[in-house]
Amino acid sequence: DILIKVEDLHKVYHNKLHALDGVSEEILKGEVVVIVGPSGSGKSTFLRSLNLLEVPTSGHVYFEGVDITSKETNIDHHRQKMGMVFQHFNLFPHKTILENITLAPIKLLKKSRAEAESRAMELLKLVGLEAKANSYPSQLSGGQKQRIAIIRSLAMDPDVMLFDEPTSALDPEMVGEVLELMKRLADDGMTMVVVTHEMGFAKEVATRVIFMDEGKIKEQGAPAEFFDHP
Ligand code: ADP
Ligand code: ADP
């Protein structure tokens, strides 16, 4: 089953930089796709194009069979089904952890507060952070904040999770706890697209590795064949 399909994506920024130069790709349900490549190769632009956080200059993005690049499509509805986790957690600093997690389900999914809070507490227990429900983001470590950012996305019941260098801003000792949570999601069958420099994660968890350079997909394959490549 194809979940996301992109067709001949180009992205030219205002400075005339050709950040994506004809990318076509299909992402199947249940895949864990890890995108690697040098800095500036277009990985982040590609990832952000999947949920139209970055609007491609030309080309199409289909999500669950719908052309979300079409002007007729209401992107908000589809974007709710695509969770996104950034390098810098993007938690609301003046809201508690529980409020951070329940905000979107209440506002966008029209869940009752009780229902949203009960699901949030379930997710907090999943990552062992239920004691932090009434804390503020500044009271948490980087690794804890990133795990909260991940479960906040999960609270929206996404069909795919997009990760943009989720461990790059963390102290080294906190990288493991975030990767471990991501591995659990993968084991549970979550479709994931991950931009990361963590090669161990790519080797161990990816079902497919994509190598980008100069705005193009240069190579891809299963981790075993990919990393054995001469
Ligand atoms: P990567 O994630 O592989 O590091 P990016 O997708 O972030 O690559 O960037 C690809 C290229 O596009 C880089 O040269 C970067 O400087 C440029 N770029 C990214 N975002 C913008 C932007 N908003 N405006 C102009 N250029 C950008
Ligand atoms: P990331 O952490 O995803 O690699 P960057 O540090 O490359 O992001 O960029 C941070 C922000 O600046 C992004 O919103 C990106 O789109 C934008 N950006 C990156 N490169 C450029 C550029 N050359 N000109 C303008 N904006 C850029």
Side-chain angles (χ1 to χ4, degrees), residues 39-200:
S39 179
S41 57
K43 305 182 297 294
S44 179
T45 301
F46 173 62
L47 192 76
R48 289 157 179 267
S49 298
L50 298 180
N51 66 355
L52 295 204
L53 211 55
E54 208 71 79
V55 180
T57 309
S58 67
H60 294 272
V61 180
Y62 300 87
F63 177 63
E64 298 180 330
V66 177
D67 183 355
I68 57 173
T69 35
S70 154
K71 289 202 169 29
E72 272 90 75
T73 305
N74 174 9
I75 179 64
D76 294 340
H77 167 74
H78 301 282
R79 198 178 269 149
Q80 286 170 16
K81 296 268 120 199
M82 296 190 242
M84 185 145 192
V85 175
F86 302 90
Q87 190 171 338
H88 300 282
F89 331 112
N90 296 6
L91 298 175
F92 297 109
H94 302 298
K95 295 192 184 293
T96 66
I97 296 307
L98 189 64
E99 289 165 346
N100 263 281
I101 301 171
T102 55
L103 194 72
I106 292 172
K107 212 174 153 182
L108 303 174
L109 302 183
K110 314 288 180 208
K111 285 196 181 183
S112 70
R113 177 165 303 278
E115 192 188 354
E117 288 185 350
S118 140
R119 173 73 176 136
M121 290 310 297
E122 252 177 54
L123 288 163
L124 281 165
K125 286 193 186 108
L126 180 82
V127 292
L129 292 174
E130 63 268 38
K132 303 291 185 189
N134 297 312
S135 302
Y136 288 86
S138 61
Q139 298 172 291
L140 272 59
S141 73
Q144 290 173 335
K145 278 189 272 203
Q146 194 59 304
R147 285 184 287 149
I148 295 299
I150 293 171
I151 63 169
R152 180 178 61 171
S153 284
L154 291 177
M156 292 294 284
D157 295 321
D159 292 339
V160 59
M161 289 282 291
L162 311 175
F163 293 87
D164 194 355
E165 302 203 18
T167 59
S168 296
L170 298 178
D171 291 334
E173 69 271 22
M174 291 170 184
V175 169
E177 64 196 50
V178 171
L179 293 179
E180 193 266 337
L181 172 58
M182 291 168 63
K183 183 173 185 313
R184 269 160 66 196
L185 297 184
D187 290 344
D188 285 348
M190 176 62 74
T191 309
M192 296 168 46
V193 186
V194 184
V195 174
T196 185
H197 297 288
E198 296 290 338
M199 290 306 134

